[in-house]
Amino acid sequence: MSSFENLRIVDNFYQTSLFFPMPTVAVSTLCEDGSTSVGPYSLIQPYYVAGRDYYAMLLQCRNSSNTAQHILRTGKCAINFLPDDPRYFKELVKLSWPGDTPEDKMPCFSLPMEKSQIQEEDPGDMRPMVLTDAIQVIECTWMRELDGAASDKAGELNGYEPPYHDFNGITSKFGAHFILRVDRILMKKRYADAIINGVKAGDFPRLPVDYGYRDSKNFWYHRGRRMRAELLPVREASLESVRYAADRADDKVKFTDDALKMVLNVPRVFLPMVLRGCVDWAKENGVELITAEHMQTINDKRAKEKEEKRKK
């Protein structure tokens, strides 16, 4: 006998048939007159996270929304993460009424905004403004060439006719999905320093989590609490198993035992990628036997590249 109830699946099941925790973000986009419009969203998540030549987020929204129409027209947006504070959440809820135009809602929006960092560096790259009080911001470009979505255009506010795309652009009569290339991650210094130097419980920003519209009166969200750490299990691979993978990484470049000991804690699923990176470095530098000293050089190089990316 099951201990669960079989709940009916209906439209917007993530908020009507589930208690589904989601982020609360403010997506800023460019209006036709060059001004910035802001809308609150929760149906957003990482999409491409590794193994490609760029990273991406996925945003789902009504295709008639200001946000969707602006992305269809300009391809640019910024995802702003505001602190968990009632005054910020109240500002976002004020912007959430479907059908309001930017002219209707933005005069009532009181949070300060500033110019995109990317546009400051390249004035020809027009971008929406970002929220000054945000803890972090992801500046994005819509990858309209994916799934044949380049032909999708703004202008239809009463529902789009088929054919529809599978995962990018106009995906249903009233829906849209946008694969958004991550152009830049902006972060306030306090939190950027924590990521670089090692995060402690007190370093995590308090970010709101919502459960969507659950009734006709209220927008429910969950106040953040102090983070709790739980130690990861230690699963150190044997030197023999790492040697087995290393011997198959390349037919010429080999590793000493001391070098392989430095990657014993790398999860098995990532080990081939790590070894491949070491082999690529060795070939670039004319090395055929990678030692522990070489591994340290490779690690230092990766750390430097990570720091340079952060500063861009």
Side-chain angles (χ1 to χ4, degrees), residues 285-300:
N285 291 274
V287 173
E288 291 192 354
L289 180 64
I290 298 177
T291 65
E293 290 75 19
H294 292 141
M295 293 293 279
Q296 187 59 55
T297 300
I298 294 169
N299 289 339
D300 292 344

Side-chain angles (χ1 to χ4, degrees), residues 211-222:
Y211 290 86
Y213 286 100
R214 290 206 156 267
D215 55 39
S216 60
K217 181 180 178 182
N218 297 304
F219 190 108
W220 297 88
Y221 81 105
H222 187 273

Side-chain angles (χ1 to χ4, degrees), residues 251-298:
D251 59 347
K252 293 183 179 179
V253 177
K254 301 301 177 184
F255 296 76
T256 66
D257 285 351
D258 286 341
L260 294 180
K261 287 176 182 178
M262 298 179 70
V263 294
L264 286 178
N265 287 326
V266 173
R268 189 73 183 184
V269 67
F270 299 127
L271 185 60
M273 180 178 65
V274 171
L275 294 173
R276 184 71 251 172
C278 295
V279 168
D280 290 344
W281 176 90
K283 290 185 174 181
E284 290 173 3
N285 291 274
V287 173
E288 291 192 354
L289 180 64
I290 298 177
T291 65
E293 290 75 19
H294 292 141
M295 293 293 279
Q296 187 59 55
T297 300
I298 294 169

Side-chain angles (χ1 to χ4, degrees), residues 143-169:
M143 302 302 290
R144 63 173 75 239
E145 63 270 24
L146 297 178
D147 200 18
S151 60
D152 291 351
K153 304 298 181 185
E156 181 56 69
L157 303 181
N158 297 310
Y160 283 77
E161 296 303 319
Y164 303 120
H165 304 297
D166 292 324
F167 60 88
N168 188 40

